Amino acid sequence: MRRAFVVFIPLFVAFAACVGASTPTVDGGTDATSCAKVCNETCVSGNDPATGCAATSCDPCPASTAPHATASCNAGACASGCENGYADCDKNAVNGCETNVASDTANCGKCGNVCGTANTTAVACGTSANDAGAADAGGAQAGVCVFSCDGAHAHCGTDDSAGGESNIGTDPNNCGACGHSCGGGTCVGGYCQPVVLAGDPTAYSGLKSLYGLTVLGGYVYGTDWEAAGPNNGLVYKVSTTPGKALSWIVGGAGDGGVGQTASADFITNNGTDLTYVIYHAEPPKPEAGIWTVATDGSNDKLAIAGGTTGGGPACTLSSAYAYEVAGIAFDSSYIYWVRDTYGGCFPGTPSCQCQGIYRANADGSNVTQYFTSAWYTVPFADSGTLYMVDYFNAKVVVATSQTFTNNVPPTALPVAGTPTSLQTDANYVYWIDQGNKKFYRAKKIGATTSDDITPTAGMPGGTLANAFVVDATSNNIYFVSPNSSPNVAVTQEIYVMPKD
């Protein structure tokens, strides 16, 4: 009997797969089923002219023979594109991508974008930054208009066809450089001019002998040296926005019975409350000293009446007349003040041993004589470093904790003019030359020269007052200047101008 043998033949079925591409990643795929399409057993993009633009075909798009033209895909079909830096601006397929948009001033960056020639000495289409320090709209890429403008103009807008449309000598929105606003003031010679914040330069305003200034929470706070008159007081506030009314938060009658005879001068703040100096009271009263007050005028009190020196006399600030406190300043830990007697020891004032720089905790406790030499000065504190005016020697000086520890002279900065008061910001020390009506500044670190930042048209009013403050938040300088009109009584105005 013959046996029947059954032969089993393996049956191999071929399926479309991504052969040779174990982990395809085209179009984010991770296996064959997520490929856009498969050509020659490889996952490929569905938008590559080299493998065709149609979803069901791998036939490549025909190569373009027109100048600077390239094959491309558009909505699943082969199309003609342009090499990088070229464009088809005349829509003529025969001459291809005829326009070099990286250099053509009539089609700069894109078709139809014209680089205008108004107020220019040269125009190009390239990659450089605009003149006058303004950045081009296209940044540092090829195909941006580059303008060489005449000395008084710059291209500050977004319309390249306008050329050098902005007069940076007179444009208050682009004063001296594109984007530099004068905040409502005028632009003269490329510099912003001061704007009146309070007072009236042409009429009697009642603001008389304004002295110190500080800025806090959108308001300028200041002091009045002569608080006489029913409408005057010791400490006032006014909004940093021009045109707002000024109001007194510490009245002329004075809290604690200071009366109309008191004089308030230096003022600063600790970020929350105000600290100011009542310089003297006539006849002598115990109110002379360092006071604190809330920004709404409440809680006005004498905070520091003085202190003692080791083994020395009692140096109370309330001792007769107290012509002594020549400036106050805060840093993150302490309050500092300078005590002087106009270079001499007047009858009725404390001993000359009381002259020097004093320091106390921020709450007024633990008063110590920090440095024994004295300058008639206005200090500004920055993390333990004091910037001060050496009035008698016409210097701006820097004193550190090492200076105080060793009782050695402070370091002098390069100074122009005769400094009478100063302020600082993060990078600069600013000072006033009162007699010559000038503003100057020098770098805190590495300064070899100082810069004159006085507006081109000069400072307004009469002799520039000492009082000014630099506000880092608004980038402004606020200052006081006397009324110069010959037809009105001598009063003062508060001005604001950009610091740069």
Side-chain angles (χ1 to χ4, degrees):
M1 177 177 175
R2 298 178 61 186
R3 295 183 178 179
F5 291 90
V6 179
V7 179
F8 294 88
I9 301 174
L11 180 62
F12 295 90
V13 181
F15 296 94
C18 292
V19 178
S22 58
T23 55
T25 58
V26 176
D27 292 340
T30 56
D31 56 42
T33 60
S34 60
C35 290
K37 66 180 180 180
V38 177
C39 292
N40 194 27
E41 299 184 342
T42 302
C43 288
V44 297
S45 169
N47 199 38
D48 185 353
T51 53
C53 300
T56 58
S57 172
C58 292
D59 295 334
C61 296
S64 176
T65 58
H68 303 295
T70 61
S72 65
C73 292
N74 182 18
C78 291
S80 178
C82 293
E83 294 177 3
N84 187 35
Y86 289 85
D88 179 17
C89 293
D90 64 2
K91 303 304 178 184
N92 184 351
V94 175
N95 61 7
C97 302
E98 80 291 342
T99 303
N100 186 337
V101 293
S103 61
D104 188 349
T105 57
N107 300 280
C108 189
K110 62 182 180 180
C111 295
N113 188 50
V114 177
C115 301
T117 59
N119 305 312
T120 64
T121 57
V123 174
C125 179
T127 59
S128 298
N130 210 343
D131 64 313
D136 287 293
Q141 63 184 19
V144 292
C145 292
V146 182
F147 301 92
S148 296
C149 297
D150 62 30
H153 292 83
H155 175 58
C156 298
T158 57
D159 181 4
D160 287 339
S161 67
E165 80 290 340
S166 299
N167 187 329
I168 57 175
T170 60
D171 186 348
N173 296 314
N174 300 285
C175 188
C178 291
H180 188 241
S181 173
C182 290
T186 59
C187 178
V188 177
Y191 290 89
C192 293
Q193 303 307 296
V195 177
V196 175
L197 191 68
D200 185 347
T202 64
Y204 182 78
S205 63
L207 303 182
K208 189 175 182 181
S209 299
L210 304 181
Y211 206 88
L213 290 177
T214 191
V215 179
L216 179 62
Y219 287 89
V220 175
Y221 295 86
T223 53
D224 186 9
W225 177 265
E226 296 182 14
N231 298 320
N232 292 61
L234 292 173
V235 182
Y236 63 85
K237 75 174 183 179
V238 64
S239 171
T240 54
T241 301
K244 305 296 184 180
L246 178 146
S247 61
W248 298 94
I249 66 169
V250 178
D255 294 303
V258 176
Q260 302 285 25
T261 59
S263 293
D265 54 12
F266 299 100
I267 186 169
T268 186
N269 73 82
N270 61 3
T272 303
D273 297 318
L274 307 173
T275 300
Y276 69 99
V277 173
I278 293 183
Y279 201 60
H280 74 286
E282 299 177 2
K285 294 182 179 181
E287 285 79 14
I290 299 174
W291 288 63
T292 60
V293 64
T295 54
D296 63 358
S298 63
N299 201 28
D300 185 32
K301 61 184 180 181
L302 181 62
I304 301 174
T308 59
T309 59
C315 297
T316 56
L317 297 182
S318 56
S319 299
Y321 290 91
Y323 287 100
E324 299 157 330
V325 179
I328 51 176
F330 278 100
D331 64 15
S332 58
S333 302
Y334 300 101
I335 179 173
Y336 303 83
W337 65 93
V338 175
R339 184 167 184 166
D340 194 26
T341 54
Y342 286 95
C345 302
F346 287 21
T349 62
S351 165
C352 289
Q353 296 180 53
C354 293
Q355 293 186 31
I357 299 172
Y358 286 75
R359 186 181 78 178
N361 294 332
D363 62 1
S365 63
N366 194 26
V367 176
T368 58
Q369 191 178 25
Y370 197 41
F371 194 56
T372 56
S373 296
W375 306 271
Y376 178 66
T377 180
V378 181
F380 196 93
D382 182 6
S383 300
T385 298
L386 289 182
Y387 298 86
M388 302 178 290
V389 172
D390 181 349
Y391 183 78
F392 296 110
N393 295 305
K395 294 179 180 179
V396 172
V397 296
V398 182
T400 65
S401 57
Q402 190 68 24
T403 304
F404 299 132
T405 301
N406 297 326
N407 207 34
V408 297
T411 303
L413 293 178
V415 168
T418 302
T420 51
S421 63
L422 64 79
Q423 289 278 311
T424 73
D425 63 13
N427 301 310
Y428 290 93
V429 179
Y430 300 77
W431 64 91
I432 283 178
D433 179 349
Q434 186 180 30
N436 294 312
K437 296 181 64 175
K438 293 282 190 178
F439 269 110
Y440 294 95
R441 74 179 183 184
K443 290 183 178 179
K444 281 183 174 180
I445 300 175
T448 57
T449 60
S450 54
D451 304 321
D452 185 347
I453 60 171
T454 309
T456 304
M459 303 304 293
T463 302
L464 189 63
N466 271 330
F468 82 106
V469 61
V470 177
D471 181 23
T473 301
S474 65
N475 201 42
N476 288 329
I477 293 177
Y478 300 90
F479 65 94
V480 171
S481 186
N483 194 311
S484 60
S485 173
N487 301 318
V488 298
V490 177
T491 57
Q492 295 179 327
E493 286 75 50
I494 305 167
Y495 291 84
V496 56
M497 70 177 188
K499 67 179 181 180
D500 296 316

